[in-house]
C-alpha cells in the first residue's frame, strides 16, 4: 500500500525536470506549498468573516466546533451511515446493471440498436426533472432514494462498458478464435479484461453522479441522511452545523474515488507503468 | 496422401465502391507430413491471408483445404497458430497465456501446470511463467507464443512472420532455436516470412508468391541436408545456402 503510493508520487514528480536532482526534497516543498495555501485560505476566511452575520456565514473555527459537537452526539455518524448504506446499495446495483446491460449492448448489435437511443437521451437529459414524477410512483422513502441514485449512476457505466467492449482489439479476438476458445472464455479472458479500464472510468463518473443523486434525493424526498442534515440546519440558520455534513460528503466522495482507483490499479497490474 | 492439401483456393475482399480485391487466386499446394514450408513474397501477395484461411481465422471465397483428407471448415486444435504481434493477452502471465490455449482445448486445469512448464522449458523460458508480457522482451514474448502453440500438441504449426518485429540479432538466435526445435519434433510447419534468409535457413521448400492477385509463382526445394541446427552459423556459409538464397532473391526481385 505504502509502496504503491510511493510509486505513484514518483511517477508524478518524474515529469518535472526540476525534480530530477532531488525528488524527495521537491516533493516536500510541493506538499508544504499546498498545506501553506490551505492554512492561509482558512485564516483569511476566519478573519474576513469574523464580523459577518453568524446566521449567514460560518467561520472555520465555528465549523470545527460544530462538527465536533455533531460527532459527539452521534448525529453526524448516524446520518452518514444512513446516507452511505443507501448510496452503496444504489451504486452497486447501478454498477451491476450498467455492466450487464453494457456487455449485452456491446456484444449484441440488436440489443444495442434497440437500447442506444434511450440510453443516450437519458444520459444527456437533466434527470432531476424526473424526480417529482418518480416521487409519485415510488414515494419519498428509501425506495425513492435508491431509484434516484441508480438512475443517475447507471448510464455512464453502460456507455463506458459498451465503448470498451466494442473497442476490443481484433488481434486479441483472433487469439480466441485461433485456439477455439468458447464464447464464455472470450468474454471472461479477452473482452472483460480489455473493457475493464473503460468500465472503471465509467464507475468513477457514476460515483460522482451517484453522490449528487444521493444529496438531491435527501433534499427533495425523505429529508434524511447527510442531505437532510444540511437542509435542516440551513433552515434553522445554524450555518456552522450545516457545513459539517458538507465536509463529510466532500471527504466521502474523495475517499470513494480513491477506492475505485485502487481497485482499478489492482486489476490493471498487467499494464506498463 | 498429403498431410495438408490446398485446392484452387481463392479469396476476394469486397472493396466499397469498386471491384473486389483478389487476395488469393487459385492456390494449389500439397504439404507432406513433417515438412517445413516457408512462404515468401512481396507484401500483398496473400501469404498471411493463406495462412489465416488454413487456420480458419478467415474463410475462403472458394476452393478447399483438407487435412489428412478431411475438409477443413474452421479453426481446430489440430493446428497451432503463432501470431506476428499482439499474439499474447497482455493481462495474462506467460503461463496463463499458455493455459488459455489449454483451457480452450478442454484440458482440465489440474494438468495445465505440468504442460506449461514443459513447453516453457522447450522454448528456453523455464521459470518465466509468472511474468506478464510487458515484463518480457519481444523475443521472449514470441517464444511464449510458440510455447502456447506447442502446448496444444497440434499436428500442424502455422507461424505468421513470428520474428518479423524483432531486432536482427534476436531474430537470428530465434531462427537457430526454431531450427533445432523443428528438427527435434518433426512437426508439419507452415511459416510465413519476408526474410529470404529465414526461409532458406529453415524450410524444406520455399513457396514464392506474387501479388495482385496472390498466386504461387514457384516452389523452390531447399536441399540442404538435415539436421542443419548442428551447423550453427556455418549453415549460412554453405554453398547450397548461398546458391538458394541468391536464386530466391533474383525471383523476388523480378516480382517487385
Amino acid at each position: 500500500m505504502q509502496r504503491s503510493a510511493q510509486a505513484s508520487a514518483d511517477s508524478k514528480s518524474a515529469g518535472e525536470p526540476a525534480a530530477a536532482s532531488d525528488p524527495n526534497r521537491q516533493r516536500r516543498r510541493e506538499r508544504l506549498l499546498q498545506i501553506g495555501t490551505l492554512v492561509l485560505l482558512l485564516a483569511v476566511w476566519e478573519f474576513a468573516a469574523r464580523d459577518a452575520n453568524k446566521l449567514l456565514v460560518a467561520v472555520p473555527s465555528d465549523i470545527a466546533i460544530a462538527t465536533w459537537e455533531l460527532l459527539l452526539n452521534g448525529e453526524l455518524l448516524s446520518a452518514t451511515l444512513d446516507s452511505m448504506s443507501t448510496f452503496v446499495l444504489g451504486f452497486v446495483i447501478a454498477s451491476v446493471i450498467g455492466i450487464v446491460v453494457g456487455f449485452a449492448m456491446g456484444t449484441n448489435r440488436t440489443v444495442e440498436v434497440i437500447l442506444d437511443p434511450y440510453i443516450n437521451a437519458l444520459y444527456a437529459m437533466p434527470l432531476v426533472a424526473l424526480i417529482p414524477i418518480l416521487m409519485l410512483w415510488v414515494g419519498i422513502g428509501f425506495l425513492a432514494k435508491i431509484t434516484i441514485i441508480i438512475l443517475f449512476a447507471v448510464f455512464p457505466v453502460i456507455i463506458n462498458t459498451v465503448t470498451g467492449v466494442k473497442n476490443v482489439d481484433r488481434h486479441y479476438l483472433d487469439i480466441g478464435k485461433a485456439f477455439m476458445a468458447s464464447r464464455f472464455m472470450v468474454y471472461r479472458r479477452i473482452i472483460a479484461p480489455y473493457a475493464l479500464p473503460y468500465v472503471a472510468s465509467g464507475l468513477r463518473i457514476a460515483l460522482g453522479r451517484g453522490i449528487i443523486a444521493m444529496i438531491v434525493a435527501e433534499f427533495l424526498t425523505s429529508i434524511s441522511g447527510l442531505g437532510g442534515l444540511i437542509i435542516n440546519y440551513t433552515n434553522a440558520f445554524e450555518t456552522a452545523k450545516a457545513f459539517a455534513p458538507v465536509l463529510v460528503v466532500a471527504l466521502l466522495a474523495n475517499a470513494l474515488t480513491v477506492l475505485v482507483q485502487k481497485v482499478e490499479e489492482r486489476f490493471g497490474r498487467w499494464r506498463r507503468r | 496422401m498429403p498431410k495438408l492439401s490446398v485446392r484452387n483456393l481463392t479469396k476476394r475482399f469486397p472493396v466499397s465502391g469498386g471491384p473486389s480485391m483478389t487476395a488469393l487466386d487459385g492456390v494449389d499446394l500439397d504439404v507432406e507430413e513433417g515438412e517445413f514450408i516457408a512462404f515468401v513474397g512481396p507484401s500483398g501477395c496473400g501469404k498471411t491471408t493463406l495462412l489465416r484461411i488454413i487456420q480458419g481465422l478467415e474463410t475462403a471465397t472458394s476452393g478447399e483445404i483438407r487435412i489428412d483428407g478431411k475438409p477443413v471448415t474452421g479453426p481446430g486444435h489440430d493446428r497451432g497458430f503463432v501470431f506476428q504481434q499482439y499474439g499474447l493477452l497482455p493481462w495474462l502471465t506467460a503461463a496463463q497465456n499458455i493455459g488459455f490455449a489449454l483451457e480452450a482445448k478442454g484440458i482440465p486445469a489440474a494438468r495445465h501446470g505440468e504442460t506449461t512448464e514443459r513447453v516453457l522449458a522447450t522454448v528456453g523460458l523455464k521459470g518465466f511463467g509468472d511474468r506478464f508480457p510487458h515484463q518480457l522482451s519481444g523475443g521472449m514474448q514470441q517464444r511464449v507464443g510458440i510455447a502456447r502453440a506447442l502446448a496444444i500438441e497440434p499436428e500442424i504449426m502455422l507461424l505468421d512472420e513470428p520474428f518479423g518485429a524483432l531486432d536482427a540479432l534476436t531474430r537470428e538466435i530465434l531462427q537457430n532455436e526454431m531450427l533445432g526445435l523443428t528438427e527435434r519434433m518433426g512437426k508439419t510447419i507452415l511459416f510465413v516470412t519476408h526474410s529470404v534468409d529465414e526461409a532458406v535457413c529453415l524450410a524444406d521448400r520455399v513457396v514464392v508468391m506474387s501479388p495482385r492477385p496472390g498466386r504461387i509463382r514457384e516452389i523452390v526445394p531447399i536441399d540442404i541436408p538435415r539436421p542443419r541446427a548442428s551447423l550453427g552459423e556455418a549453415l549460412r556459409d554453405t554453398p547450397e545456402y548461398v546458391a538458394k538464397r541468391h536464386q530466391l532473391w533474383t525471383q523476388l526481385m523480378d516480382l517487385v
Side-chain angles (χ1 to χ4, degrees):
Chain A
M1 188 82 168
Q2 202 167 2
R3 187 184 297 175
S4 80
Q6 191 86 6
S8 73
D10 275 341
S11 67
K12 199 192 276 177
S13 58
E16 294 156 36
S21 54
D22 189 350
N24 270 323
R25 221 176 112 194
Q26 175 78 7
R27 209 162 42 233
R28 261 204 311 276
R29 271 189 50 191
E30 287 173 355
R31 199 59 73 233
L32 220 62
L33 197 64
Q34 287 169 336
I35 293 168
T37 310
L38 178 68
V39 170
L40 189 69
L41 263 173
L42 289 175
V44 169
W45 180 358
E46 182 82 39
F47 284 103
R50 208 175 28 178
D51 301 325
N53 187 342
K54 287 260 187 226
L55 294 180
L56 302 178
V57 186
V59 294
S61 56
D62 287 344
I63 295 169
I65 293 165
T67 308
W68 181 244
E69 275 173 24
L70 292 180
L71 271 176
L72 282 185
N73 69 19
E75 212 174 335
L76 205 50
L77 187 68
S78 72
T80 305
L81 286 179
D82 183 8
S83 288
M84 273 302 110
S85 55
T86 323
F87 170 77
V88 169
L89 185 62
F91 180 70
V92 167
I93 294 173
S95 305
V96 172
I97 295 175
I99 291 169
V100 169
V101 172
F103 241 77
M105 286 173 71
T107 51
N108 187 315
R109 180 72 188 150
T110 311
V111 177
E112 190 193 5
V113 167
I114 292 171
L115 292 183
D116 191 59
Y118 304 102
I119 305 275
N120 278 308
L122 283 168
Y123 184 43
M125 79 169 277
L127 290 165
V128 182
L130 280 177
I131 290 181
I133 303 167
L134 272 176
M135 284 160 68
L136 279 182
W137 294 341
V138 293
I140 57 165
F142 175 75
L143 190 62
K145 266 169 85 173
I146 285 279
T147 310
I148 292 167
I149 292 169
I150 294 173
L151 201 60
F152 270 63
V154 78
F155 297 111
V157 183
I158 295 177
I159 289 170
N160 274 44
T161 307
V162 173
T163 310
V165 168
K166 285 181 71 178
N167 265 330
V168 176
D169 200 316
R170 196 182 54 91
H171 292 103
Y172 299 142
L173 294 175
D174 269 355
I175 299 172
K177 202 172 172 187
F179 289 94
M180 293 183 79
S182 65
R183 182 189 280 252
F184 174 71
M185 267 189 79
V186 171
Y187 283 172
R188 194 165 102 91
R189 296 256 188 242
I190 301 177
I191 297 177
Y194 188 91
L196 186 80
Y198 294 84
V199 176
S201 72
L203 290 180
R204 275 204 303 273
I205 300 169
L207 201 68
R209 286 171 61 104
I211 298 250
I212 293 172
M214 176 190 84
I215 295 295
V216 168
E218 286 170 348
F219 280 179
L220 296 181
T221 62
S222 59
I223 320 281
S224 64
L226 292 166
L229 279 191
I230 297 170
I231 285 281
N232 287 335
Y233 281 122
T234 309
N235 287 346
F237 291 103
E238 294 195 61
T239 324
K241 282 185 175 168
F243 262 105
V246 171
L247 268 178
V248 174
V249 171
L251 286 174
L252 280 175
N254 282 287
L256 288 170
T257 305
V258 171
L259 188 72
V260 170
Q261 267 164 4
K262 288 281 172 235
V263 172
E264 190 187 353
E265 273 169 28
R266 172 70 186 72
F267 284 104
R269 271 180 312 147
W270 53 273
R271 240 171 277 127
R272 209 184 291 269
R273 289 276 147 85
Chain B
M1 183 170 58
K3 183 73 189 168
L4 169 81
S5 89
V6 177
R7 283 289 165 272
N8 202 18
L9 201 76
T10 297
K11 173 72 175 177
R12 286 190 202 91
F13 289 108
V15 177
S16 60
S20 62
M21 199 268 287
T22 306
L24 290 171
D25 186 28
V27 169
D28 285 303
L29 180 70
D30 281 335
V31 179
E32 296 303 323
E33 172 120 45
E35 232 189 337
F36 193 125
I37 304 289
F39 297 86
V40 296
S43 49
C45 71
K47 52 192 194 291
T48 288
T49 305
L50 176 58
L51 205 69
R52 288 175 62 85
I53 292 173
I54 296 172
Q55 177 63 37
L57 290 173
E58 279 170 48
T59 49
T61 309
S62 66
E64 194 183 47
I65 293 164
R66 286 172 181 270
I67 293 176
D68 293 327
K70 288 191 288 280
V72 168
T73 51
H77 299 302
D78 54 350
R79 283 150 285 156
F81 203 89
V82 179
F83 294 89
Q84 176 181 9
Q85 257 183 311
Y86 313 108
L88 299 178
L89 298 170
W91 44 84
L92 299 183
T93 62
Q96 286 169 335
N97 265 288
I98 296 166
F100 178 87
L102 294 171
E103 188 185 342
K105 200 188 171 186
I107 292 168
R111 279 171 34 210
H112 289 190
E114 181 200 334
T115 310
T116 302
E117 272 177 38
R118 178 170 49 77
V119 291
L120 278 173
T122 306
V123 298
L125 284 182
K126 203 175 157 94
F128 285 89
D130 57 355
R131 303 284 183 93
F132 285 100
H134 80 263
Q135 297 170 314
L136 300 169
S137 68
M140 290 162 117
Q141 290 182 28
Q142 285 311 79
R143 285 174 216 235
V144 176
I146 293 169
R148 179 179 56 191
L150 288 174
I152 61 166
E153 290 171 5
E155 291 169 39
I156 305 177
M157 293 248 304
L158 301 95
L159 300 94
D160 181 17
E161 297 195 30
F163 311 143
L166 304 178
D167 64 274
L169 184 64
T170 310
R171 184 174 188 136
E172 201 154 306
I173 292 169
L174 280 181
Q175 282 169 14
N176 289 340
E177 284 180 10
M178 186 81 201
L179 200 53
L181 196 67
T182 53
E183 288 181 342
R184 277 203 311 279
M185 293 190 304
K187 275 199 198 302
T188 311
I189 292 174
L190 307 181
F191 191 102
V192 167
T193 177
H194 56 248
S195 157
V196 169
D197 288 274
E198 202 161 271
V200 176
C201 170
L202 296 170
D204 297 308
R205 288 191 292 159
V206 177
V207 176
V208 181
M209 296 181 71
S210 60
R212 285 172 290 276
R215 284 184 181 140
I216 292 181
R217 178 56 63 99
E218 191 157 1
I219 299 179
V220 179
I222 308 293
D223 30 31
I224 306 170
R226 290 187 187 272
R228 301 174 191 167
S230 54
L231 290 175
E233 240 349 82
L235 168 66
R236 291 173 172 81
D237 297 326
T238 59
E240 295 95 330
Y241 181 93
V242 176
K244 289 295 180 187
R245 186 180 176 281
H246 179 75
Q247 181 192 344
L248 281 167
W249 258 119
T250 318
Q251 271 163 342
L252 279 173
M253 279 310 189
D254 288 345
L255 292 176
V256 178

